[in-house]
Amino acid sequence: MNELILLWAALVAYVVAGSAAIFAVVWKRRPERFVLLLMVLGLILHTASIVVRWERLGHGPYITMFEILSSNIWSLMLAFAIAYWRLPALRATAAVVMPILFVMMGWILMTNPDEGHLPATYHTVWLFIHIGFGKVFLGATLVALGLAGVILVRPTARGQRWFGHLPASERLDDLAYRCMALGFIFESLMLVSGAIWAQDAWGRYWAWDPLETWAFLTWLVLAIALHARVTYKLSPRVGAVLVVAVFVIAFLTFFGVPFISTSAHKGAV
Amino acid sequence: MNGISGKALAKRILDSTGSSKLTLALLALLGVGVAIDYLSEAHVVWWLTIPLAACACNLVAAIATNGVFRSQLPLLVFHLALLALIVLLAAGQLTHLKGKAEVVEGGTFEGDLVDIEAGPWHINRLKQVRFINEGFSVDYAPGLRRGATRNRLRYLDEDGIGRQMEIGDNQPLVLHGYRFYTSFNKGFAPMFLWHRKGAAQAMTGAVHLPTYPLREYEQARKWTIPDTGSPAWVMLQFDEVVIDPEKADRFKLPKDHTVVLRVGDRRWELRPGESAELPGGRLEYDGLRGWMGYTVFYDWTIPWLLAACLTAVGALGAHFWVKLRAKPW
């Protein structure tokens, strides 16, 4: 019960932080320090929630939908908080990023917090390495998505009002590209570490199971996006559309496929 | 004139083949191939092979013609590593082997697999592999959720030295390049001794009943009596709860059981030590053991694939490090 109370407190802190960030964009206020403090408070509470549950169950948050949502909200919030702190140019992108996290927070409130069974094949350090790389990838992609969202919304009257004071779209596009480059490296590492884990967990390093297939497709779309930038000298708007495409496929891979697939990758059987 | 135009033509072809616009099209084609293979029930290897081969050609041509690779070494290394990956994957597919084996407790693996899938250039050295299954345990959490598997094996290593090890989840036995992993398939094996009339020694036979507890209510199978070729049918009967679903438990043999044996229109219910008289001899039921199923995998390219992957990622990191630090974040 304590873990749920801590989680809900964390979600409240996140929602207040996110709402303040959106308020800052819409009403041209700048409570950035307040937003950052609330994000950090939320992260501390959330970390405590995850630790309490881990201690109780004897395993980390990577089995049930509830646990996967919780750990990803944590890692995505951490990634965005770091970017928010270190890159003032992208603070206004919280207006794009936080609603996505709100959706995930709403989702977790509707999922069953009961514990799941830790499959025997999950008792390996490669689990942590694989998941860790995946979280950095998704975090980098989320930050890029925030920048892409601003680029896409900006041409509208409202977008100009909200985001007109930010650096030029070319600069934001460059930042998004850097995040995608970082994401590409870490997604590659995620695939490699996943294959190492799979070899000894299931006796083969790659079997095109649904999760592997979607993860590879995500990597491929990211490779196409990065290649297209170099080949065609894409405009910031087109680059932003590609970022959105990568995020959508990555989101489906992380949060959709594991829960409609019953393959061994889930640890089933 | 013809020589010059030939050279110019070759250069034009090479430039076109190495075009980065073609790269995009081929990457998209690969994605389509992956999606088709994923969605179709019949997994046809050409959906992936053709796009990958085309990507490899495009990559070779690009490396040969695009000046950016000469000026950015990490980028070149990354793409060479990708090329190495494609070549290694192809080599692995041609020489790999996948299969399954089942070995009864106390029994020896002698090179026989079921469900074999092997590349056309695989050189089968399974007959060099020998190990004895010295017993296994499988934990279960409440709700019949499988936990840790531990299987003790005795084997001769590649230097001919006798060794013992325990394999299980994430821990295979590796001999002569073949990797043996325990699987979720395991079950009961009634053991029989066939005493042929006039023979000095009895022949042993094991009946590997369907996997337990997955096929809990199907503990029967057809069997061929060794040395005779006669068909028989064997069923294991027991009333006790072998793995308690209400608490943490382990896979174990039922203590109190009988084995139903049918040969032709004759039927026996046997306990350990009891026999059935058959034409040509006596079939004695020797007792119950467990059998463990193994997944077998061979692919010599694995360490090279890992090296190529790590080289690719390292080079990619170096490339972006140099490129992105030129301008501040």
Side-chain angles (χ1 to χ4, degrees):
Chain A
M1 192 53 158
N2 286 342
E3 73 203 42
L4 288 178
I5 293 171
L6 286 166
L7 176 65
W8 290 334
L11 295 182
V12 167
Y14 292 153
V15 167
V16 175
S19 303
I22 294 168
F23 169 83
V25 168
V26 173
W27 278 286
K28 293 193 181 7
R29 298 285 187 265
R30 301 190 63 155
E32 289 165 358
R33 206 170 192 166
F34 175 68
V35 169
L36 190 57
L37 277 171
L38 276 177
M39 281 187 196
V40 170
L41 173 65
L43 281 165
I44 291 170
L45 291 165
H46 200 166
T47 305
S49 169
I50 289 174
V51 167
V52 165
R53 186 179 174 98
W54 196 320
E55 180 76 19
R56 180 171 72 82
L57 299 183
H59 66 76
Y62 29 74
I63 308 297
T64 63
M65 174 64 102
F66 176 86
E67 289 167 353
I68 288 179
L69 277 171
S70 175
S71 72
N72 278 287
I73 290 169
W74 180 88
S75 61
L76 290 174
M77 186 58 75
L78 178 65
F80 187 68
I82 292 171
Y84 192 92
W85 171 44
R86 297 295 298 169
L87 299 170
L90 63 64
R91 284 178 181 167
T93 66
V96 175
V97 167
M98 295 309 280
I100 294 167
L101 294 176
F102 288 169
V103 167
M104 293 174 69
M105 292 176 209
W107 190 0
I108 196 177
L109 290 175
M110 294 189 294
T111 55
N112 186 344
D114 286 348
E115 61 187 274
H117 169 65
L118 184 71
T121 52
Y122 279 39
H123 292 282
T124 169
V125 72
W126 288 105
L127 167 75
F128 299 97
I129 294 171
H130 171 66
I131 288 176
F133 287 147
K135 287 187 179 315
V136 176
F137 154 65
L138 199 62
T141 311
L142 180 75
V143 173
L145 178 75
L147 293 160
V150 168
I151 292 169
L152 290 171
V153 164
R154 216 175 195 175
T156 65
R158 195 166 286 182
Q160 206 32 247
R161 230 179 14 253
W162 292 350
F163 304 118
H165 66 283
L166 292 181
S169 291
E170 285 74 17
R171 174 78 179 117
L172 298 183
D173 178 59
D174 180 64
L175 275 174
Y177 167 66
R178 287 161 183 255
C179 292
M180 296 299 268
L182 190 68
F184 192 52
I185 293 169
F186 279 90
E187 215 225 332
S188 303
L189 286 168
M190 183 190 79
L191 290 176
V192 172
S193 56
I196 293 171
W197 177 18
Q199 177 61 56
D200 282 343
W202 302 304
R204 84 302 178 276
Y205 59 83
W206 195 271
W208 295 108
D209 75 25
L211 198 50
E212 287 165 350
T213 302
W214 277 82
F216 179 74
L217 285 172
T218 305
W219 184 91
L220 207 54
V221 171
L222 193 34
I224 289 171
L226 291 171
H227 242 284
R229 286 185 66 99
V230 172
T231 305
Y232 289 107
K233 304 286 183 279
L234 301 176
S235 69
R237 278 188 71 76
V238 174
V241 168
L242 289 175
V243 169
V244 172
V246 170
F247 184 82
V248 166
I249 294 175
F251 195 89
L252 285 172
T253 301
F254 273 63
F255 301 108
V257 174
F259 299 96
I260 58 171
S261 158
T262 55
S263 76
H265 201 145
K266 282 187 68 178
V269 187
Chain B
M1 191 66 141
N2 280 343
I4 292 168
S5 67
K7 203 172 169 184
L9 183 63
K11 187 176 184 315
R12 192 181 277 185
I13 292 171
L14 203 56
D15 284 341
S16 301
T17 307
S19 142
S20 55
K21 289 178 185 166
L22 181 61
T23 303
L24 287 171
L26 292 176
L27 288 176
L29 184 65
L30 179 60
V32 168
V34 168
I36 291 175
D37 189 61
Y38 170 63
L39 292 169
S40 70
E41 291 199 3
H43 294 283
V44 175
V45 72
W46 299 114
W47 288 122
L48 301 175
T49 307
I50 290 173
L52 274 174
C55 283
C57 293
N58 169 252
L59 197 43
V60 169
I63 290 170
T65 59
N66 195 328
V68 75
F69 292 114
R70 281 182 275 290
S71 58
Q72 296 180 48
L73 179 64
L75 195 65
L76 173 63
V77 172
F78 170 67
H79 285 87
L80 284 173
L82 284 184
L83 194 55
L85 264 173
I86 295 174
V87 171
L88 286 167
L89 286 169
Q93 277 298 109
L94 290 168
T95 56
H96 83 289
L97 176 136
K98 276 191 260 196
K100 293 178 184 168
E102 294 176 5
V103 183
V104 72
E105 284 174 309
T108 304
F109 173 78
E110 293 179 335
D112 299 313
L113 295 188
V114 294
D115 286 347
I116 297 178
E117 177 202 301
W121 295 350
H122 177 76
I123 299 170
N124 196 321
R125 290 178 295 142
L126 274 166
K127 293 296 182 192
Q128 295 176 28
V129 178
R130 287 282 184 282
F131 64 83
I132 297 172
N133 176 2
E134 293 198 321
F136 64 88
S137 66
V138 184
D139 295 339
Y140 279 86
L144 282 183
R145 294 186 289 194
R146 189 170 56 91
T149 298
R150 288 169 286 270
N151 182 199
R152 289 177 314 284
L153 301 179
R154 192 149 42 89
Y155 63 98
L156 288 178
D157 68 13
E158 290 170 34
D159 297 321
I161 298 169
R163 295 200 188 275
Q164 273 183 305
M165 76 178 287
E166 186 175 274
I167 68 170
D169 311 292
N170 303 315
Q171 177 62 58
L173 167 70
V174 184
L175 276 180
H176 298 282
Y178 293 93
R179 306 172 82 92
F180 291 81
Y181 298 89
T182 54
S183 73
F184 64 87
N185 272 323
K186 77 275 177 204
F188 306 122
M191 303 295 294
F192 288 90
L193 294 168
W194 169 243
H195 301 273
R196 186 161 57 88
K197 278 182 185 148
Q201 262 192 309
M203 285 188 72
T204 309
V207 183
H208 292 190
L209 294 174
T211 182
Y212 190 91
L214 200 62
R215 294 171 68 182
E216 183 181 356
Y217 301 110
E218 301 169 54
Q219 295 299 294
R221 75 177 296 172
K222 293 180 184 166
W223 181 56
T224 303
I225 300 171
D227 192 46
T228 68
S230 302
W233 181 86
V234 175
M235 182 176 79
L236 179 65
Q237 276 187 160
F238 58 89
D239 288 325
E240 67 192 78
V241 173
V242 171
I243 308 173
D244 189 341
E246 304 296 319
K247 61 176 193 186
D249 203 350
R250 276 191 171 182
F251 175 86
K252 52 191 173 304
L253 304 178
K255 290 194 183 84
D256 189 26
H257 67 276
T258 53
V259 160
V260 175
L261 172 70
R262 279 212 311 252
V263 180
D265 54 10
R266 296 177 69 190
R267 185 182 185 279
W268 298 262
E269 287 191 18
L270 304 171
R271 288 186 176 275
E274 293 178 353
S275 299
E277 292 295 333
L278 296 171
R282 177 171 61 89
L283 189 65
E284 179 188 349
Y285 173 49
D286 193 36
L288 196 63
R289 295 188 202 170
W291 64 265
M292 170 54 70
Y294 300 92
T295 305
V296 186
F297 185 79
Y298 175 93
D299 189 338
W300 65 271
T301 64
I302 288 176
W304 298 100
L305 283 169
L306 180 61
C309 286
L310 294 177
T311 303
V313 176
L316 189 66
H319 167 71
F320 281 126
W321 175 261
V322 168
K323 186 170 176 162
L324 300 181
R325 75 171 184 179
K327 198 171 156 185
W329 280 70

